[in-house]
Amino acid sequence: AVDESELLTVPDGWKEPAFTREDNPRGLLEESSFATLFPKYREAYLKECWPLVQKALGEHYVNAALDLIEGSMTVTTTKKTFDPYAIIRARDLIKLLARSVPFEQAVRILQDDVACDIIKIGSLVRKRETFIKRRARLLGPKGSTLKALELLTNCYIMVQGNTVSALGPFSGLKEVRKVVLDTMKNIHPIYNIKTLMIKRELAKDPELRTQSWERFLPKFKRKNLKKRKEPKKKNTKKEYTPFPPPQPESQIDKELASGEYFLKERQKKRKQMEEIKAKQADAVKRRQEERNKAFIPPKEKPAVKTKKASTEKKIDIEAIKEKVKNAKKKKLGALPEEEVKLKMAADEKKKKKK
């Protein structure tokens, strides 16, 4: 256990001082040069922006030459060059320009805190169709996945052909390479992006700097593992026996057993013809049966029989007679005028009493 006060801590916003002429007043002993080829479709753009490239490299005393006939770019040091690493940065600059990175982004490589990484992805996948699908997955719909990765890593990423060019700080380039290689190994980039987002939030907390982040990071498991298909025919090993298998019967043995061996040639031919005719007769019979199936009428469904009214229930005559008597007692139609007047008078008397 080490006390935290003894640990060396870097203050926020600290930068290493720039390399000046005072650090190397005598310059370089030998001349160094690097050259790279570029594709034909980049010729027009490079021809247009080459004066800007020469101006940017001229500040670091590095010469740049563009050969349109050969299709190459060359950078060389001069006697005034004092920074030995300037030629390496110039080499990376022409590499990025050849890989379709725009000049505005590629010129950032000349800064001290910016580096580049060119990841070759063409040989990571066997099938061309699978490679195109996984490369499109890295880009995402309308470039959304690539944009999210750029924001999380503070890097500029350019996917072109069989390579991925990344430009930014060293810590971001490490994450970009991991995400790109995982995507080519059929791991969706959204998983790595989610992990990066969690790490970004954890880095803000000063208490968690010395602790392990494993408990916070998600653990993704593959769910779509293909089960191995079992073969239709399984070869089962027979039990071992020290005795060899019995010798199979030859054609002569079979003929001897059936007695055919002793027949004459005419008799053998006659027997063969009879067997052929029997087979033909069976085939004709089967064919005729199949043809006759079309003329067989289908089975009709039996007609539904109407159920006869059950006479088991006995009719109650006495109950019917009572109903008829009650119906006769009831007077049909409106009441006569006299009865109506009597009813009205009776109602009025009841009201008065109340």
Side-chain angles (χ1 to χ4, degrees):
V2 183
D3 189 13
E4 289 184 7
S5 61
E6 294 178 9
L7 294 172
L8 180 66
T9 55
V10 180
D12 295 334
W14 180 85
K15 283 187 179 181
E16 194 175 341
F19 192 88
T20 58
R21 185 173 283 279
E22 294 173 1
D23 298 321
N24 186 18
R26 295 183 181 180
L28 305 175
L29 294 173
E30 293 290 335
E31 184 184 282
S32 302
S33 65
F34 288 100
T36 184
L37 299 171
F38 61 87
K40 185 74 176 174
Y41 61 84
R42 290 291 288 169
E43 187 177 319
Y45 180 78
L46 290 172
K47 194 176 179 181
E48 187 182 343
C49 73
W50 196 249
L52 297 170
V53 176
Q54 286 179 324
K55 186 182 176 182
L57 292 174
E59 293 175 2
H60 297 269
Y61 303 101
V62 176
N63 286 336
L66 177 67
D67 190 352
L68 296 174
I69 297 166
E70 191 182 344
S72 66
M73 294 178 282
T74 311
V75 287
T76 53
T77 57
T78 61
K79 290 180 180 180
K80 292 183 179 180
T81 308
F82 61 89
D83 187 359
Y85 201 71
I87 188 66
I88 303 296
R89 291 200 184 112
R91 178 201 66 182
D92 292 341
L93 174 64
I94 58 174
K95 269 188 181 181
L96 291 169
L97 289 171
R99 293 311 313 154
S100 299
V101 177
F103 171 74
E104 291 79 11
Q105 293 290 341
V107 77
R108 287 171 53 209
I109 195 66
L110 300 175
Q111 299 172 15
D112 287 339
D113 57 344
V114 178
C116 75
D117 189 10
I118 296 170
I119 307 156
K120 294 179 180 179
I121 57 173
S123 60
L124 297 176
V125 184
R126 286 183 182 180
K127 291 183 180 179
R128 184 69 182 170
E129 293 174 1
T130 311
F131 168 73
I132 291 164
K133 282 180 183 177
R134 290 182 188 174
R135 187 179 63 181
R137 190 183 294 169
L138 181 64
L139 292 167
K142 297 181 182 178
S144 58
T145 307
L146 200 66
K147 189 68 181 173
L149 197 60
E150 285 180 352
L151 292 169
L152 288 166
T153 57
N154 297 322
C155 294
Y156 174 80
I157 306 165
M158 181 74 185
V159 181
Q160 177 71 19
N162 294 332
T163 58
V164 177
S165 306
L167 186 75
F170 289 98
S171 58
L173 292 175
K174 187 181 176 183
E175 296 293 343
V176 169
R177 176 170 275 273
K178 182 180 179 298
V179 173
V180 170
L181 294 176
D182 282 353
T183 306
M184 289 294 124
K185 291 175 185 175
N186 203 20
I187 298 168
H188 204 282
I190 197 69
Y191 300 137
N192 287 311
I193 287 169
K194 194 172 182 180
T195 307
L196 287 171
M197 288 171 74
I198 294 165
K199 284 181 180 178
R200 192 181 185 181
E201 294 298 320
L202 292 170
K204 294 176 183 178
D205 192 352
E207 293 179 2
L208 294 170
R209 283 185 178 180
T210 56
Q211 296 178 15
S212 177
W213 291 353
E214 286 294 323
R215 64 182 189 274
F216 300 109
L217 300 177
K219 293 177 182 178
F220 300 105
K221 292 180 181 179
R222 289 188 180 184
K223 293 182 180 179
N224 57 343
L225 290 171
K226 291 182 180 178
K227 292 182 180 179
R228 188 181 173 186
K229 291 181 180 178
E230 294 182 357
K232 290 181 180 178
K233 292 181 180 179
K234 290 184 180 180
N235 296 327
T236 53
K237 287 187 177 180
K238 295 178 181 179
E239 292 182 4
Y240 173 74
T241 53
F243 306 105
Q247 191 174 359
E249 289 184 349
S250 64
Q251 189 67 27
I252 297 167
D253 292 338
K254 290 176 183 178
E255 287 179 358
L256 284 167
S258 62
E260 194 178 338
Y261 183 78
F262 304 103
L263 295 174
K264 293 179 181 179
E265 285 295 324
R266 287 182 185 177
Q267 291 174 334
K268 285 180 182 179
K269 284 182 180 179
R270 195 185 305 154
K271 192 178 181 182
Q272 286 176 359
M273 289 298 293
E274 285 174 1
E275 287 176 0
I276 291 165
K277 284 178 181 179
K279 284 180 182 177
Q280 287 176 351
D282 290 339
V284 169
K285 190 179 179 182
R286 251 183 275 114
R287 220 176 292 127
Q288 196 65 35
E289 285 175 359
E290 287 177 4
R291 286 175 185 170
N292 292 337
K293 281 180 184 178
F295 302 102
I296 298 168
K299 292 181 179 179
E300 294 182 2
K301 292 180 181 179
V304 181
K305 294 179 180 180
T306 54
K307 292 181 180 179
K308 293 179 181 180
S310 58
T311 55
E312 292 178 3
K313 291 181 180 180
K314 293 179 180 180
I315 299 164
D316 194 355
I317 297 164
E318 296 296 329
I320 292 166
K321 283 180 180 180
E322 284 180 9
K323 284 181 182 179
V324 172
K325 282 178 183 180
N326 292 333
K328 283 179 180 179
K329 287 176 183 179
K330 288 179 182 178
K331 292 180 180 179
L332 301 171
L335 295 169
E337 290 180 10
E338 293 176 0
E339 289 183 10
V340 172
K341 286 177 182 179
L342 291 168
K343 272 191 178 184
M344 286 174 74
D347 292 336
E348 285 176 4
K349 283 179 183 179
K350 285 180 183 178
K351 284 178 183 179
K352 283 177 183 179
K353 284 179 182 178
K354 287 178 181 179

